[in-house]
């Protein structure tokens, strides 16, 4: 077994050959990243402008990644079992996208006003 460097994700397609499982694994990685950003926001009261900008860019990037995953979910076709799994994935993706929108809103409220 090859050890990956810290922070490097295991490519989800190595875990399961089925597209639903692969997208689900990518959704779990997205969830973990959203959890990490939320945790950072909870423990940090006053963010300096540089950190605030970096977090905002990260949230925008994660939101774009979530939207790309949602597009992949939309492309899934199959029998009733696949449709049920697809519906569950849509629910999970929507939850993460909603969390990211709330984070974006909180970050924009934390931004210093110029004037």
């Amino acid at each position: 077994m090859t050890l990956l460097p810290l922070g490097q994700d295991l490519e989800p397609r190595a875990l399961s050959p089925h597209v639903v499982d692969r997208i689900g694994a990518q959704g779990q990685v997205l969830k973990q990243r959203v959890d990490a950003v939320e945790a950072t926001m909870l423990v940090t009261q006053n963010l300096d402008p540089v950190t605030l900008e970096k977090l905002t860019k990260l949230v925008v990037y994660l939101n774009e990644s979530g939207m790309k995953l949602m597009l992949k979910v939309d492309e899934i076709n199959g029998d009733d079992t696949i449709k049920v799994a697809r519906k569950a994935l849509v629910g999970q993706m929507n939850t993460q996208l909603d969390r990211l929108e709330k984070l974006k809103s909180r970050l924009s409220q934390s931004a210093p006003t110029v004037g």
Side-chain angles (χ1 to χ4, degrees):
M1 181 171 166
T2 304
L3 293 177
L4 297 172
L6 291 176
Q8 183 175 344
D9 296 328
L10 180 61
E11 187 63 34
R13 76 175 60 100
L15 301 176
S16 172
H18 200 282
V19 68
V20 172
D21 294 333
R22 288 185 293 177
I23 294 172
Q26 291 173 341
Q28 287 299 317
V29 170
L30 177 66
K31 180 187 180 303
Q32 291 171 352
R33 290 178 177 167
V34 174
D35 290 344
V37 173
E38 281 184 339
T40 301
M41 296 284 296
L42 285 174
V43 298
T44 309
Q45 296 298 323
N46 297 319
L47 295 171
D48 62 276
V50 174
T51 305
L52 186 66
E53 182 182 350
K54 287 181 180 182
L55 274 176
T56 302
K57 287 181 180 180
L58 178 61
V59 168
V60 168
Y61 169 78
L62 292 174
N63 192 44
E64 290 173 2
S65 297
M67 292 303 294
K68 288 178 184 176
L69 282 176
M70 188 66 91
L71 291 173
K72 287 182 182 180
V73 170
D74 284 344
E75 295 173 359
I76 298 173
N77 294 315
D79 60 12
D80 289 341
T81 306
I82 300 297
K83 288 179 183 177
V84 169
R86 181 178 176 263
K87 186 175 182 178
L89 282 175
V90 167
Q92 292 169 8
M93 293 293 122
N94 280 331
T95 299
Q96 300 315 312
L97 292 172
D98 290 344
R99 290 173 66 199
L100 287 164
E101 285 300 319
K102 288 177 187 173
L103 284 171
K104 253 198 294 191
S105 175
R106 284 176 45 201
L107 286 168
S108 67
Q109 291 171 0
S110 300
T113 56
V114 177

